[in-house]
Amino acid sequence: MISTHDILSITWPNRGGWRVYGDSITAGDGGSVPTMEEIEAARPAAEIAHAAHLAAATLANTRANLILTRAQFGEMLIRRGIKSSVLAAIAAIQDPTTREIMTEWFEYAPTVRRTSPKVEAIRQQLLLDADDVDDWFTEAMGYE
């Protein structure tokens, strides 16, 4: 169950500066304060919003921790049958400097982070689903 302060912050975000002491509530901007009945009526929606926020934060943290070795990354691409597509996408980059940077990264990076802008650019270029790529990275972390 979320706190009264969180309900106030989620449901009435523009009021800001809520102070909750037991049953005493004040608004930082000196404005009116919702009644306890209004707060309790807002609780279900606020709890859903709060849970969604926590889930998004957890996903972002999970993605940030998905790091593969170069060998794991290469094996994942081979197992998924997309290595040639990734190489073609890199070869199709118009800017020669960017293409060379991507080629060097693809061939020599010791680790590959799921949140890398390079991984995201390849994912978008190949129209891959972000959740699928997350799953592939998670699975590939088990490769030896």
Side-chain angles (χ1 to χ4, degrees), residues 72-139:
Q72 289 170 322
F73 183 65
E75 184 175 344
M76 177 192 67
L77 296 178
I78 292 166
R79 287 179 184 267
R80 294 293 166 191
I82 60 171
K83 183 177 179 183
S84 60
S85 298
V86 171
L87 291 171
I90 292 171
I93 295 171
Q94 296 297 314
D95 179 61
T97 302
T98 303
R99 184 175 53 248
E100 185 175 357
I101 289 169
M102 286 294 288
T103 300
E104 288 291 314
W105 168 81
F106 183 78
E107 292 178 2
Y108 301 111
T111 59
V112 180
R113 185 178 299 270
R114 168 61 183 94
T115 55
S116 165
K118 294 173 178 74
V119 170
E120 188 59 19
I122 291 169
R123 183 194 70 74
Q124 291 176 7
Q125 180 70 22
L126 298 179
L127 304 175
L128 300 172
D129 181 76
D131 291 334
D132 287 344
V133 175
D134 292 346
D135 292 343
W136 298 349
F137 264 70
T138 300
E139 178 183 314

Side-chain angles (χ1 to χ4, degrees), residues 7-86:
I7 295 170
L8 292 165
S9 298
I10 292 168
T11 308
W12 296 278
N14 296 328
R15 297 298 306 279
W18 295 106
R19 290 177 197 78
V20 179
Y21 302 101
D23 288 339
S24 173
I25 302 170
T26 58
D29 64 1
S32 64
V33 176
T35 65
M36 289 309 284
E37 291 79 22
E38 291 172 315
I39 293 169
E40 287 307 312
R43 180 178 297 279
E47 286 182 345
I48 290 169
H50 185 67
H53 171 75
L54 291 177
T58 300
L59 177 60
N61 186 45
T62 299
R63 279 189 177 148
N65 290 319
L66 293 174
I67 303 169
L68 303 178
T69 65
R70 175 69 194 98
Q72 289 170 322
F73 183 65
E75 184 175 344
M76 177 192 67
L77 296 178
I78 292 166
R79 287 179 184 267
R80 294 293 166 191
I82 60 171
K83 183 177 179 183
S84 60
S85 298
V86 171

